[in-house]
Amino acid sequence: MEDDAPVIYGLEFQARALTPQTAETDAIRFLVGTQSLKYDNQIHIIDFDDENNIINKNVLLHQVGEIWHISASPADKGVLATCYNKTSDSKVLTCAAVWRMPKEVEPGSHESPDDASSTAHTLELLCHLDNTAHGSMACVVWEPTGDGKKVISLADNHILLWDLQESSSQAVLASSASLEGKGQLKFTSGRWSPHHNCTQVATANDTAVRGWDTRSMSQIYCIENAHGQLVRDLDFNPNKQYYLASCGDDCKVKFWDTRNVTEPVKTLEEHSHWVWNVRYNHSHDQLVLTGSSDSRVILSNMVSISSEPFGHLVDDDDLSDQEERRPEDKSQEPPQDSVIATYEEHEDSVYAVDWSSADPWLFASLSYDGRLVINRVPRALKYHILL
């Protein structure tokens, strides 16, 4: 059954951390981390059965603290990293650790959805990413196409590259760099580029976006005032190696060509409050997803700056190259950038949006009240893109 209707799941806890299970490319699976001060925190494994339009869940206990960020290994389905709060000497620190899920929660082994007494499983701690030495962790990002052995963590004003050794039971600091200068030097987020042999990482701090070379840990580019207020999130275009999206508290989403960062290539101003998240679709990079404190999720068609700016208007047999299109051939205008859909299923700030790693037409969004919504790209547009 393929229906455009959303599927909604309530976690019963506040939550802000969401990731697809990156290494799982067959089953549709998302991981959600809770933020509860009263109870033990949990990671909910959400399996979406798209044939029957139902959600199955497993619960993992994450007893160490509230989860601020969660990311999944690109190589090992069972491994993930969390950033979480812990209090020591009446100071709250955000720490980071790498965990393994138990075998019982492999796809296909979940309890039935109506089983209220479903048991919670325990996560196995693999290693800490040296918690207190560098300050509070903002996020952990995995090398995108790697073997799951390299991660970068951002802690206060430090960018730290780790090698995970001994089956990820040990994290060795391979290299690091620090932000220098005045102002609030604190990283808010980062993304590892899938291009350039995975040697580039982009980070956000305050209103700036910076690019780093992971081999020398030196800065490649800097967009000083990328946004008028705090930059919240970044994402790389999966198909165009120099294209980067950013979003922030100025309610804007901006698209950059990192070879020339004086001006954004494009700016979206569709949200009315802070934009927390921006995500490119992994297969069709004209599809861009954003989530905001205005409680809305917006799916945009950024076709003019995509890897297929003319859509599929020409047959490969007719033209040996896109460039050979004759100027007088104006019969078909290139498609325009537009908002495809605005999703209003949330009643609270949407802190996270992400695409499924198994189904390119499916995405999840998470609001602070613990509501997770699974939606699909509208069918009409899906077929339009495929045709």
Side-chain angles (χ1 to χ4, degrees):
M1 169 178 139
E2 186 166 312
D3 176 5
D4 287 342
V7 179
I8 297 172
Y9 169 72
L11 273 88
E12 297 164 26
F13 292 101
Q14 291 178 328
R16 62 166 71 222
L18 166 74
T19 182
Q21 188 175 17
T22 319
E24 176 56 77
T25 51
D26 298 325
I28 297 165
R29 176 173 263 206
F30 292 94
L31 310 175
V32 183
T34 66
Q35 289 206 319
S36 165
L37 288 169
K38 280 207 289 235
Y39 304 98
D40 275 342
N41 281 280
Q42 304 175 344
I43 290 174
H44 287 221
I45 303 174
I46 306 298
D47 285 307
F48 181 59
D49 170 353
D50 59 340
E51 283 180 19
N52 301 302
N53 241 29
I54 54 169
I55 281 173
N56 295 300
K57 74 159 202 302
N58 276 291
V59 174
L60 302 172
L61 289 180
H62 184 277
Q63 285 152 322
V64 287
E66 301 165 84
I67 302 170
W68 286 85
H69 186 265
I70 186 167
S71 55
S73 162
D76 186 331
K77 292 177 195 179
V79 174
L80 59 114
T82 60
C83 299
Y84 59 90
N85 275 4
K86 84 164 188 196
T87 312
S88 67
D89 307 333
S90 70
K91 274 215 320 244
V92 177
L93 273 174
T94 310
C95 307
V98 180
W99 310 87
R100 179 172 287 288
M101 296 191 239
K103 281 271 182 281
E104 305 92 78
V105 298
E106 307 265 303
S109 61
H110 37 67
E111 291 98 15
S112 61
D114 49 22
D115 182 5
S117 62
S118 63
T119 51
H121 304 278
T122 315
L123 283 164
E124 176 196 351
L125 173 69
L126 292 177
C127 62
H128 288 285
L129 297 177
D130 185 21
N131 285 329
T132 44
H134 300 96
S136 277
M137 294 281 183
C139 68
V140 173
V141 291
W142 299 79
E143 182 182 35
T145 54
D147 51 7
K149 299 282 187 281
K150 276 196 169 70
V151 296
I152 275 180
S153 66
L154 302 176
D156 285 352
N157 63 325
H158 304 284
I159 174 168
L160 310 162
L161 174 62
W162 304 89
D163 280 328
L164 300 180
Q165 298 174 357
E166 312 294 330
S167 308
S168 301
S169 63
Q170 195 182 359
V172 178
L173 186 60
S175 56
S176 64
S178 304
L179 284 174
E180 310 290 333
K182 51 189 194 300
Q184 188 199 9
L185 295 177
K186 217 174 168 169
F187 287 115
T188 48
S189 71
R191 292 296 269 185
W192 200 319
S193 170
H195 309 294
H196 314 288
N197 293 327
C198 296
T199 56
Q200 293 189 15
V201 169
T203 61
N205 71 287
D206 203 13
T207 61
V209 172
R210 293 163 206 276
W212 305 81
D213 186 320
T214 56
R215 295 162 298 188
S216 57
M217 280 312 224
S218 56
Q219 209 168 283
I220 319 166
Y221 54 85
C222 178
I223 313 172
E224 280 293 351
N225 288 301
H227 288 264
Q229 289 168 272
L230 187 70
V231 181
R232 291 277 175 193
D233 194 28
L234 306 164
D235 200 22
F236 283 98
N237 184 314
N239 300 324
K240 293 184 79 170
Q241 58 179 348
Y242 298 105
Y243 274 59
L244 173 71
S246 64
C247 62
D249 286 2
D250 57 3
C251 312
K252 294 177 184 170
V253 180
K254 296 188 182 185
F255 298 88
W256 307 89
D257 181 335
T258 58
R259 293 164 299 186
N260 175 16
V261 294
T262 47
E263 288 290 320
V265 185
K266 206 90 185 172
T267 302
L268 274 181
E269 302 186 42
E270 298 294 336
H271 285 289
S272 56
H273 209 280
W274 305 342
V275 187
W276 283 89
N277 238 182
V278 57
R279 287 288 177 270
Y280 275 105
N281 185 290
H282 313 303
S283 309
H284 308 284
D285 57 275
Q286 69 263 48
L287 300 178
V288 177
L289 207 51
T290 51
S292 161
S293 293
D294 63 12
S295 306
R296 295 186 305 163
V297 174
I298 294 179
L299 176 61
S300 301
N301 195 9
M302 302 307 295
V303 68
S304 72
I305 51 171
S306 73
S307 54
E308 294 186 333
F310 301 104
H312 293 279
L313 293 183
V314 275
D315 204 308
D316 289 347
D317 304 337
D318 301 346
L319 284 181
S320 58
D321 198 352
Q322 199 88 41
E323 267 58 72
E324 288 180 31
R325 178 194 297 247
R326 292 188 301 286
E328 65 267 26
D329 182 18
K330 284 269 172 60
S331 57
Q332 286 183 298
E333 285 294 303
Q336 296 298 302
D337 295 347
S338 60
V339 168
I340 295 162
T342 300
Y343 299 90
E344 312 256 1
E345 289 90 19
H346 293 282
E347 294 167 18
D348 204 343
S349 289
V350 178
Y351 281 144
V353 293
D354 224 324
W355 294 95
S356 162
S357 50
D359 180 342
W361 307 105
L362 194 124
F363 58 91
S365 54
L366 175 69
S367 50
Y368 190 52
D369 54 7
R371 181 177 298 180
L372 179 91
V373 180
I374 291 180
N375 263 302
R376 293 186 182 84
V377 173
R379 209 176 325 182
L381 181 86
K382 169 178 168 177
Y383 294 130
H384 181 76
I385 290 175
L386 288 176
L387 286 174

